[in-house]
Amino acid sequence: MRLATLRRGGGTFVARVEGDVGIEVPGYGDVAHLLRGGGLAEAATADGERHDLTGADLAAVVTTPGKVVCVGLNYRNHILEMGRDLPEYPTLFTKYADALIGPYDDIVLPTESPAVDWEGELAVVVGTPVRRVDEEEAAAAIAGYTVANDITMRDWQYRTTQWFQGKAWEASTPVGPHLVTPDELTAGAELVTRLDGREMQRTPVDDLVFGPAALISYISTIFTLNPGDLVLTGTPGGVGHARKPGVYIEAGQRVTVTIDGVGEVANQAVRA
């Protein structure tokens, strides 16, 4: 099953995606709201208003997550390109909900940073509350997956040893286009990032050092993860900052991140 959050009249609503048609699931403002209300089963059989999804205005698939937890240095090839050893534990940082934008929204390049980079990522959406769970329980708590681009202001990221200030810029992180339930994520799925059509990243998502269930288990040791919370699992090798010389996103360029079986975010960069 696929779910999307669409914009309408200053608000948002949830639809089940069937081809180019969205079937409205009444009563829910976004997919996070639906998950908190236990509405997955309802969404599977909803028969609300039909919407043509061709050119539809999609919001971030979850607009109201309680937590957005991100993982750094979690693909083997990216760790090696950054000259680091494989980690013993996940590297975690956070964003706020107002960092999220829709899958086709513009990326606004801030005037304060000339070093805006891409990071294509598989994102996990939590479906049930979990605290101190093992990996089996963690896997059962995953509502589904979506695509994210962890847009990063590299100069701000490396101002200090803490990455937060380069990662949590407002309206900087495309997420979507859909939540796909775990059965939709195909074995051997690849993540591909392109800049103006030029391939920059291509890696199977199973190259993760810490997979989705391991991350949910680990993070739930620290605090409760609730329905609608979002976990960005990290980016593979091929980021612009690791290139010699560095390559960064410029105004007018188009950045896409595609994951087999999950979908694609596609965003135009514009100057602030």
Side-chain angles (χ1 to χ4, degrees), residues 146-166:
T146 191
V147 183
N149 191 346
D150 177 21
I151 296 294
T152 303
M153 289 56 179
R154 294 295 186 192
D155 45 348
W156 284 71
Q157 178 185 3
Y158 294 117
R159 283 186 169 190
T160 71
T161 57
Q162 302 298 316
W163 296 351
F164 172 77
Q165 60 186 314

Side-chain angles (χ1 to χ4, degrees), residues 12-235:
T12 57
F13 66 95
V14 175
R16 184 178 74 251
V17 177
E18 294 188 358
D20 292 331
V21 175
I23 301 171
E24 189 166 344
V25 185
Y28 298 105
D30 77 326
V31 170
H33 183 204
L34 179 142
L35 293 171
R36 287 193 292 268
L40 262 185
E42 178 184 349
T45 58
D47 193 24
E49 183 180 348
R50 263 68 172 166
H51 301 269
D52 182 2
L53 296 180
T54 306
D57 187 9
L58 270 63
V61 72
V62 290
T63 63
T64 60
K67 304 177 188 71
V68 181
V69 184
C70 307
V71 184
L73 300 173
N74 197 28
Y75 277 89
R76 291 171 178 83
N77 61 4
H78 180 47
I79 294 166
L80 295 176
E81 80 171 353
M82 300 300 279
R84 299 172 183 263
D85 296 327
L86 294 182
E88 184 178 1
Y89 305 108
T91 298
L92 304 179
F93 59 94
T94 60
K95 295 179 183 280
Y96 298 110
D98 57 10
L100 307 182
I101 62 175
Y104 312 126
D105 292 348
D106 289 343
I107 296 169
V108 179
L109 304 176
T111 57
E112 298 86 355
S113 176
V116 181
D117 203 351
W118 58 85
E119 290 197 0
E121 308 203 8
L122 175 72
V124 181
V125 184
V126 178
T128 58
V130 285
R131 181 74 198 278
R132 296 192 176 98
V133 294
D134 61 26
E135 289 192 29
E136 183 177 356
E137 294 169 301
I142 295 173
Y145 300 96
T146 191
V147 183
N149 191 346
D150 177 21
I151 296 294
T152 303
M153 289 56 179
R154 294 295 186 192
D155 45 348
W156 284 71
Q157 178 185 3
Y158 294 117
R159 283 186 169 190
T160 71
T161 57
Q162 302 298 316
W163 296 351
F164 172 77
Q165 60 186 314
K167 294 284 192 174
W169 285 66
E170 183 173 323
S172 65
T173 307
V175 175
H178 309 141
L179 176 145
V180 302
T181 47
D183 57 293
E184 299 268 1
L185 182 63
T186 56
E190 285 192 315
L191 180 154
V192 181
T193 302
R194 293 182 175 90
L195 181 67
D196 272 354
R198 176 187 172 193
E199 187 174 299
M200 311 304 278
Q201 296 178 293
R202 178 182 290 271
T203 304
V205 295
D206 59 10
D207 189 49
L208 289 165
V209 178
F210 304 100
L215 291 172
I216 297 296
S217 174
Y218 184 83
I219 296 166
S220 77
T221 306
I222 305 168
F223 46 68
T224 301
L225 287 169
N226 290 305
D229 286 350
L230 195 62
V231 178
L232 277 61
T233 62
T235 200

